[in-house]
Amino acid sequence: MDFQSIVDAQGMAAAVLSVERTEEGSCGEIRIVCANEDYKQIMGPGFHDNIIYSDLIPKEPNFEDFCYRCAVLKQHLHAYVDVKAMGLWTDGTYIPLSPSYDNENLCYLLFFFEFTQGPDSEKMANVSMETAQLVIQTCINLRGSENFYEGINTVVGDILKNTQAFSACIFMVDTEKRKFAPLCAKYSKENVSIEDFFTVSHT
């Protein structure tokens, strides 16, 4: 597949990324295979084909999760997020591409994006019907519950179910004392608890 022709045909900054699928089925190295001129100008002189993305920008767990879900799980994704390290908002789209025939552990995606200086209400409101319904249902569960902890546990359970995640947790954070403690958590597997990962309070 001619990846360079794909990115050159895009009307905004675009790149093809490769995601390594480890033997354990988790996310390995993420590389920028190639990019168009708009993308290269944004990334600066340090860019070269097949560079590990974290050699250009700080590692971002959410970005890595999106890349893995797109390239490996073949999910078409869209995100409008605040990139605090750069002081900008990014409107990004992730499109899965065909796998490599040379290496079955390498999966690919097309990533294109644009920057804005601040949050755009129209972009933030542009969510799928499923997401909008989940947000509305979450608000109803929180406002309608007479017991706060029952309500918040219902919400966390709904988030876990709808995102197909391994876990969903809410933490209480005391910034002055530099401590945090779990408020509630749900897991997709049985016989798993928050104590398996965290103690009740940390400094």
Side-chain angles (χ1 to χ4, degrees):
M1 184 178 295
D2 187 354
F3 289 145
Q4 190 63 55
S5 294
I6 293 175
V7 295
D8 287 342
Q10 307 306 313
M12 61 177 65
V16 168
L17 280 64
S18 67
V19 179
E20 179 188 25
R21 177 172 49 192
T22 67
E23 294 182 358
E24 296 77 21
S26 58
C27 182
E29 287 185 346
I30 298 177
R31 293 179 176 271
I32 306 172
V33 178
C34 61
N36 63 10
E37 288 303 317
D38 289 340
Y39 192 100
K40 292 176 181 178
Q41 288 182 9
I42 292 172
M43 290 303 166
F47 175 85
H48 61 80
D49 286 352
N50 213 37
I51 188 172
I52 297 176
Y53 94 94
S54 56
D55 288 347
L56 283 175
I57 60 175
K59 287 179 69 67
E60 173 53 55
N62 288 334
F63 175 73
E64 294 184 1
D65 177 61
F66 266 63
C67 288
Y68 181 86
R69 287 165 57 194
C70 178
V72 178
L73 303 182
K74 303 306 177 188
Q75 299 177 3
H76 177 193
L77 302 169
H78 173 257
Y80 188 59
V81 297
D82 182 7
V83 186
K84 296 187 182 299
M86 303 178 71
L88 297 167
W89 285 72
T90 301
D91 182 5
T93 300
Y94 305 69
I95 299 175
L97 297 173
S98 298
S100 169
Y101 295 104
D102 299 326
N103 186 343
E104 62 181 10
N105 292 322
L106 277 184
C107 303
Y108 297 89
L109 70 138
L110 172 63
F111 172 64
F112 53 92
F113 71 96
E114 61 181 350
F115 287 129
T116 62
Q117 291 294 328
D120 186 322
S121 59
E122 290 186 4
K123 292 180 182 295
M124 297 181 74
N126 184 23
V127 298
S128 68
M129 183 63 69
E130 291 79 7
T131 301
Q133 290 174 343
L134 177 61
V135 171
I136 293 171
Q137 187 63 49
T138 296
C139 295
I140 292 174
N141 288 335
L142 287 176
R143 292 179 61 88
S145 177
E146 295 182 0
N147 184 304
F148 172 76
Y149 290 101
E150 288 182 1
I152 205 70
N153 271 283
T154 298
V155 167
V156 171
D158 289 343
I159 292 173
L160 179 71
K161 178 181 178 181
N162 282 274
T163 59
Q164 300 179 347
F166 168 74
S167 67
C169 309
I170 294 179
F171 286 87
M172 299 179 293
V173 179
D174 187 330
T175 54
E176 292 185 0
K177 295 182 179 180
R178 300 180 64 83
K179 293 183 177 181
F180 68 91
L183 176 63
C184 62
K186 296 284 186 180
Y187 297 91
S188 59
K189 294 183 179 180
E190 297 181 357
N191 302 320
V192 178
S193 69
I194 193 68
E195 285 76 18
D196 295 332
F197 305 95
F198 299 97
T199 57
V200 173
S201 180
H202 295 264
T203 57

